[in-house]
Amino acid sequence: MTVHSQGAAPSAPQDAPPKSAGRPKVPTTKSGPGPASPRGGRRSLPSGWLPYLLVGPAVLSLATLLLYPLIKNVILSFQDINKIEFIQRKYPFAGFDNYTELLGDSRFWTVVVRSFAFTAANVVLIMVLGSLIGILLNKLGKWMRLVLSMALVMAWAMPIVASVQVFQWLFDEQFGVMNWVMRTAGVEGYDQHNWFETGLSTLVIVTVLVVWGSVPFVALNMYAGLTTVSAELYEAARMDGANGWQTFWKVVFPSLKPFFLITTFLEVIWVFKAFTQVYAMNKGGPDRASEILPVFAYVEGQSQAHYGLAAAISVLTILILVIVMSFYFRLILKQEEEQ
């Protein structure tokens, strides 16, 4: 006898889906604030300030190390400070007297011309030799390329003062290698020959030193640029019957023109402000005949104790370099716009 109790739940059909063991999810609405930040409630800085915060330390360092000394140097160039004024801590205002004296001094203009000639000779040699060595690196095999690259890096990494000492030994009057080479070759007049007898010969030796130390930078960058030139361009040039020189001017140079512009721009700046090589080689001598503008300013300030005049020389050097570079920088911008 089956008894049906009142209120008993009827059995669920077998094909009904099973009930979830957990509690049903009931959507709730929040009346409070929005969702919390994924970083524990921290508020992120406005995106517009982030670049300034990142660049801030670098700008502060540059202002401390470069801008402040530059401003002090400009102020010093308008003062008449020599050894007596420096000891007495007197800083009389001289106006434009230092600049007037320099611009009317033929020796200053001789140094300016010498600086431009020195820079032009060095930059031309550096770019030509560096480009040729870079092309050679691109043509060599793997192991020879590695050996030549290591030699270039070692020459590039050699400290300037150490390289100056080596060149002084090579061109030494009594025990120099160059005098021995010339005597061995049968050339007369090189028995204890003084290679630093004139300012021109001194600058020639400095030029060899500067070119030797700067060519690796151009050569390695040239090789890196050549690896980006497609092999199809070389193949097309060969099919058209172009020789090596025509291939360089029609294929390589147009493809690497930005590289040549930027590298020449950097080399002009580096060579124009070269100081250590010239001063350490012969202190701007003999008789100050090998001075360029940075050495000229240093000798006037430290050796002659004409501090205001030396500051004016350095300011004019910066202005000359800025004016020259402005034309070259416009050429670079024009090249970028054409691309």
Side-chain angles (χ1 to χ4, degrees):
M1 181 175 177
T2 304
V3 181
H4 298 278
S5 57
Q6 189 176 2
S11 59
Q14 294 183 356
D15 57 349
K19 293 182 178 180
S20 174
R23 299 174 67 181
K25 295 182 179 180
V26 181
T28 58
T29 58
K30 293 183 179 180
S31 59
S37 172
R39 297 187 179 181
R42 295 181 185 175
R43 281 189 175 182
S44 60
L45 292 171
S47 58
W49 287 93
L50 183 59
Y52 298 100
L53 291 176
L54 295 176
V55 178
V59 173
L60 183 61
S61 301
L62 289 175
T64 304
L65 299 175
L66 297 178
L67 185 59
Y68 176 74
L70 179 61
I71 294 175
K72 293 290 291 183
N73 189 69
V74 173
I75 295 174
L76 180 61
S77 67
F78 291 99
Q79 296 172 336
D80 185 15
I81 302 179
N82 298 310
K83 185 179 293 185
I84 297 177
E85 288 81 7
F86 183 78
I87 295 175
Q88 295 177 350
R89 295 183 178 274
K90 294 180 180 180
Y91 311 107
F93 182 74
F96 290 92
D97 290 349
N98 291 325
Y99 293 96
T100 304
E101 180 180 350
L102 282 175
L103 296 177
D105 188 359
S106 60
R107 185 179 58 175
F108 170 75
W109 292 110
T110 301
V111 175
V112 171
V113 174
R114 185 187 300 139
S115 300
F116 275 101
F118 176 77
T119 302
N122 278 272
V123 172
V124 170
L125 290 173
I126 289 169
M127 293 303 300
V128 171
L129 295 177
S131 300
L132 292 176
I133 296 177
I135 296 173
L136 178 62
L137 283 171
N138 193 44
K139 297 294 184 181
L140 290 175
K142 178 180 178 181
W143 292 108
M144 288 301 298
R145 183 188 303 125
L146 178 62
V147 171
L148 182 55
S149 299
M150 291 178 61
L152 291 172
V153 170
M154 286 189 291
W156 190 19
M158 189 171 182
I160 296 177
V161 176
S163 61
V164 170
Q165 292 293 325
V166 172
F167 271 73
Q168 285 178 336
W169 174 70
L170 290 174
F171 292 92
D172 184 72
E173 182 177 353
Q174 186 173 0
F175 303 104
V177 175
M178 290 304 301
N179 280 339
W180 174 81
V181 170
M182 299 300 289
R183 291 195 305 268
T184 304
V187 181
E188 297 182 357
Y190 285 91
D191 187 16
Q192 296 187 353
H193 174 71
N194 184 11
W195 292 87
F196 302 100
E197 186 176 5
T198 64
L200 178 60
S201 61
T202 302
L203 285 178
V204 169
I205 298 173
V206 175
T207 298
V208 175
L209 171 62
V210 172
V211 171
W212 174 79
S214 301
V215 159
F217 172 77
V218 178
L220 294 174
N221 278 279
M222 180 69 178
Y223 168 67
L226 288 172
T227 58
T228 64
V229 180
S230 175
E232 298 176 354
L233 296 177
Y234 291 106
E235 184 66 26
R238 282 193 295 267
M239 293 179 63
D240 291 338
N243 55 28
W245 184 253
Q246 292 171 337
T247 301
F248 176 81
W249 281 112
K250 300 297 183 181
V251 176
V252 175
F253 186 78
S255 301
L256 299 182
K257 193 173 181 180
F259 155 77
F260 285 105
L261 291 175
I262 294 297
T263 307
T264 306
F265 178 80
L266 294 175
E267 290 296 337
V268 169
I269 295 176
W270 291 339
V271 174
F272 193 82
K273 64 183 185 66
F275 168 80
T276 308
Q277 296 92 331
V278 180
Y279 187 78
M281 186 68 72
N282 202 20
K283 293 182 174 55
D287 297 328
R288 306 184 66 177
S290 63
E291 288 181 350
I292 58 175
L293 281 171
V295 179
F296 182 53
Y298 180 82
V299 172
E300 284 293 329
Q302 297 299 320
S303 301
Q304 305 297 323
H306 300 155
Y307 303 108
L309 192 65
I313 296 171
S314 63
V315 172
L316 289 176
T317 302
I318 295 174
L319 291 177
I320 292 172
L321 189 59
V322 168
I323 292 172
V324 173
M325 287 295 97
S326 63
F327 294 101
Y328 198 80
F329 196 65
R330 288 177 59 186
L331 181 62
I332 295 176
L333 293 178
K334 183 179 180 180
Q335 174 66 24
E336 292 181 352
E337 291 176 356
E338 290 177 355
Q339 293 181 349

